[in-house]
Amino acid sequence: MLAKTLSRAPYMVALLFLAVAGASYSQAAEDAKQFYLLGSNASGAGMMPPPGTTLVSYDFYYTGDASGKAATSILLNEGGARLDLEANVDVNADYFLKIPGALWVAPRKVLGGGFGVGVLAPFGWADISADADVFGTLTLPDGREFSAGRSFSVNEDTFNFGDPVLMAFLGWNRGNWHWKVTGLLNVPIGAYDADDVANIGFNRWAFDASGAVTWLDPTVGLEVSAVGGFTFNGENPDTDYKTGTEFHVEYAVMKHFSKQFAAGLVGFHYRQLTGDSGAGATLGDFKGRVTTIGPALNYNTQIRSTPVAMSLRWYHDFDVKNRAEGEAFYFQTTIPLGASQR
């Protein structure tokens, strides 16, 4: 029973909803944020969902602070804002995303493994506040101009739809090993305004390619999972800003104590490999990085004959450059339709 249940546990993370669109928390790149939602892949990342349709519901909350280049990018890289000399800028950012989605896995094998497609439709809320002490001449997107010696505050929030994400994935397994490759496409039709500081959409095409592996020994309940990938960004036509290529790796080390409960550590490392470019990249290449670690809890239950998988994770940032530093929290629920736990 434990082996059978553990083989299904990965619905929770293996679904890639996970590289979701929407306002991910502040990173290097345009507006100091990125398309791939870091930390979204964790336990069971290399495992395939069962054949048929799987519903996912994914909640993400981030709170963090930024200063220096990261804060300046969030506040001033919107809609042609111009920093002629210098300003001390401090930013506090809060994001909440709700990410419902659906995955479908074919009943027959493709290339010797399972094949699936899916769509995610994020929506959410962003609240950004900033304080600045101006040393030179500062012009904001709305036309307001501040001279040296002035201070000002900005607070902006929004609740709207983000960019949908299309995905396709292939997965295989042999013994205790499971592995999967995934492609994700960000479709830039979500809410975006170049004159706003707080945006949920990105206004650019982006593609992410990743590979995941999971080793799980059901006899002792030990699991090690890892995901590595690259994000390739198109140009934002409203700002003439092209974010550079990004690299991310995520991991999970879990102990499955029973078929219902597992606990362990999760984390990720992010690094921008190539610099930002285009006329809108006024801060230069603006490459950044971050590393995180935190605890994770998985809980599997059953409603009548339908299994329900839940995951709760917390990530703490450290080793941060050109991005906000803070805390991220994830709660994930996955329901495979038509599958039963016997």
Side-chain angles (χ1 to χ4, degrees), residues 257-298:
F257 296 96
S258 68
K259 63 182 181 180
Q260 284 87 23
F261 179 71
L265 289 176
V266 293
F268 62 77
H269 176 74
Y270 161 91
R271 184 178 295 268
Q272 189 172 335
L273 300 179
T274 63
D276 301 337
S277 60
T282 57
L283 295 177
D285 60 14
F286 196 48
K287 292 190 288 187
R289 68 173 183 266
V290 61
T291 303
T292 72
I293 192 170
L297 299 174
N298 294 349

Side-chain angles (χ1 to χ4, degrees), residues 8-329:
R8 288 177 172 175
Y11 316 144
M12 295 178 289
V13 192
L15 312 188
L16 321 272
F17 20 128
L18 320 241
V20 88
S24 77
Y25 55 92
S26 300
Q27 305 286 352
E30 185 177 17
D31 308 334
K33 68 185 182 186
Q34 66 174 80
F35 145 64
Y36 186 90
L37 189 58
L38 295 169
S40 52
N41 275 294
S43 174
M47 294 182 172
M48 287 289 293
T53 301
T54 296
L55 300 181
V56 298
S57 178
Y58 190 73
D59 298 307
F60 165 77
Y61 174 71
Y62 178 80
T63 182
D65 300 295
S67 59
K69 270 192 172 184
T72 303
S73 175
I74 295 169
L75 182 61
L76 303 176
N77 229 15
E78 295 280 353
R82 185 173 69 256
L83 182 63
D84 291 334
L85 291 177
E86 287 187 4
N88 262 350
V89 183
D90 293 297
V91 168
N92 178 264
D94 293 279
Y95 293 100
F96 173 76
L97 288 177
K98 180 72 174 180
I99 308 158
L103 307 172
W104 179 81
V105 175
R108 296 184 179 180
K109 290 187 176 181
V110 176
L111 299 177
F115 170 74
V117 295
V119 61
L120 303 169
F123 62 92
W125 163 80
D127 187 336
I128 297 176
S129 59
D131 296 296
D133 297 318
V134 181
F135 301 148
T137 300
L138 177 66
T139 303
L140 295 182
D142 59 10
R144 287 181 294 165
E145 187 171 287
F146 296 87
S147 57
R150 294 283 302 277
S151 298
F152 73 95
S153 298
V154 172
N155 184 269
E156 186 173 302
D157 62 83
T158 185
F159 181 84
N160 224 316
F161 288 94
D163 299 336
V165 174
L166 306 178
M167 67 178 71
F169 46 97
L170 273 168
W172 301 265
N173 70 281
R174 178 175 297 176
N176 293 339
W177 291 94
H178 308 258
W179 60 99
K180 182 172 57 183
V181 293
T182 302
L184 300 152
L185 180 67
N186 185 67
V187 182
I189 60 175
Y192 178 86
D193 188 328
D195 290 334
D196 290 341
V197 175
N199 277 301
I200 299 298
F202 289 89
N203 201 45
R204 68 176 184 262
W205 292 92
F207 176 76
D208 187 88
S210 66
V213 62
T214 291
W215 177 82
L216 171 64
D217 187 341
T219 61
V220 297
L222 182 63
E223 175 202 340
V224 179
S225 292
V227 184
F230 297 89
T231 304
F232 306 93
N233 297 283
E235 184 176 275
N236 183 337
D238 288 354
T239 60
D240 298 320
Y241 195 115
K242 188 177 188 303
T243 297
T245 300
E246 300 158 303
F247 169 75
H248 53 88
V249 59
E250 297 151 291
Y251 69 86
V253 179
M254 305 292 292
K255 171 63 177 177
H256 295 260
F257 296 96
S258 68
K259 63 182 181 180
Q260 284 87 23
F261 179 71
L265 289 176
V266 293
F268 62 77
H269 176 74
Y270 161 91
R271 184 178 295 268
Q272 189 172 335
L273 300 179
T274 63
D276 301 337
S277 60
T282 57
L283 295 177
D285 60 14
F286 196 48
K287 292 190 288 187
R289 68 173 183 266
V290 61
T291 303
T292 72
I293 192 170
L297 299 174
N298 294 349
Y299 181 70
N300 299 327
T301 187
Q302 194 169 334
I303 300 176
R304 295 186 178 180
S305 62
T306 302
V308 178
M310 292 173 282
S311 177
L312 180 64
R313 302 191 294 280
W314 167 36
Y315 292 87
H316 172 72
D317 293 343
F318 65 94
D319 186 27
V320 177
K321 178 182 178 182
N322 287 344
R323 55 149 282 153
E325 183 172 355
E327 316 288 332
F329 303 88

